[in-house]
Amino acid sequence: MSTIDAFPTPYRFELQHTALVVIDMQRDFIEAGGFGSALGNDVRPLAEIVPTVAALLATARAGGMLVVHTRESHLPDLSDCPPSKLRRGNPSLAIGAIGPMGRILVRGEAGNQILPLLTPQDGELVIDKPGKGAFYATDLHAQLQARGITHLLFAGVTTEVCVQTSMREANDRGYECLIVEDACASYFPVFHQATLAMLTAQGGIVGWKAPLAALQAALK
Ligand code: C5J
């Protein structure tokens, strides 16, 4: 049993029952010149966490933890994208349109790939998800259950959209969840902070938060 010095209380976990879930560290959200920046977002807060996510991956791998990567992505015919989602955002840069790095949020396109520095390794799970949450319309829950996973550590982008949605979905499915607070980011730093606060309020209503250094200290 390991213990992370976390907020609001210590977080206890067993490595063999814990997975790291890295949400949507894909080129289109993070790289300058991608879909996110084409929409006018400042991608720097997202780019800044890449070294921390890389260090988190190294820590999880060294500890023998299961690693899960997700990508927000759709089939090329967009049959898995509800019309309400297609209507969101800038019409000239809608899902499926040609963006700076290929068709936006479409599987197989260059912009939909995970950043090279964070490339999944053999044996790690890569979950393509059509929603914001990692459990909606995916087999993630079944894959985790099959491996006896009870505890999930979350990282990635963006804190208030896909990371938060995934952590809430996981909490509702009975997983003990911790968000690695310096390994996730938002285009809007105020949303990042607000999300960390709301997830952990009321005695950890959705779960715990801790920085990467606290996980590393727990595994020493
Ligand atoms: C968004 C995500 N923000 N991965 N996706 O649309 O958070």
Side-chain angles (χ1 to χ4, degrees):
M1 179 77 73
S2 302
T3 304
I4 298 179
D5 182 13
F7 180 87
T9 59
Y11 177 84
R12 296 192 174 80
F13 67 105
E14 287 179 311
L15 277 170
Q16 70 270 30
H17 296 299
T18 304
L20 169 65
V21 184
V22 181
I23 302 285
D24 299 358
M25 292 298 288
Q26 50 205 71
R27 296 181 62 200
D28 251 341
F29 289 145
I30 299 165
E31 289 187 0
F35 168 52
S37 66
L39 285 174
N41 293 304
D42 178 2
V43 297
R44 284 174 300 180
L46 278 61
E48 279 167 12
I49 66 162
V50 173
T52 308
V53 177
L56 173 60
L57 278 167
T59 300
R61 287 165 178 156
M65 232 182 259
L66 174 68
V67 175
V68 180
H69 306 259
T70 70
R71 292 183 289 222
E72 185 175 351
S73 67
H74 294 278
L75 297 168
D77 67 3
L78 306 183
S79 58
D80 58 354
C81 187
S84 60
K85 189 175 182 187
L86 275 176
R87 284 193 292 267
R88 291 280 184 280
N90 179 337
S92 64
L93 284 171
I95 293 169
I98 307 288
M101 288 192 278
R103 292 183 69 205
I104 292 163
L105 293 191
V106 170
R107 282 179 209 166
E109 299 288 336
N112 201 231
Q113 304 311 308
I114 291 169
L115 297 181
L117 193 62
L118 309 178
T119 297
Q121 294 187 353
D122 287 349
E124 298 179 351
L125 299 180
V126 180
I127 302 288
D128 281 303
K129 60 182 185 61
K132 303 304 184 197
F135 291 84
Y136 169 68
T138 73
D139 66 353
L140 178 58
H141 187 47
Q143 296 265 19
L144 296 175
Q145 296 289 289
R147 291 166 174 80
I149 298 296
T150 54
H151 287 58
L152 296 176
L153 310 181
F154 282 93
V157 300
T158 62
T159 315
E160 79 280 14
V161 184
C162 291
V163 179
Q164 170 165 223
T165 304
S166 299
M167 185 161 157
R168 289 180 181 276
E169 287 183 332
N171 179 58
D172 281 347
R173 286 164 175 77
Y175 296 95
E176 303 282 11
C177 300
L178 178 142
I179 184 166
V180 184
E181 59 191 84
D182 50 351
C184 49
S186 170
Y187 299 121
F188 311 100
V190 66
F191 290 175
H192 172 77
Q193 291 303 338
T195 302
L196 294 175
M198 68 179 77
L199 289 172
T200 57
Q202 302 179 68
I205 192 157
V206 181
W208 289 257
K209 67 172 179 173
L212 170 60
L215 170 65
Q216 291 171 328
L219 296 181
K220 266 198 185 135

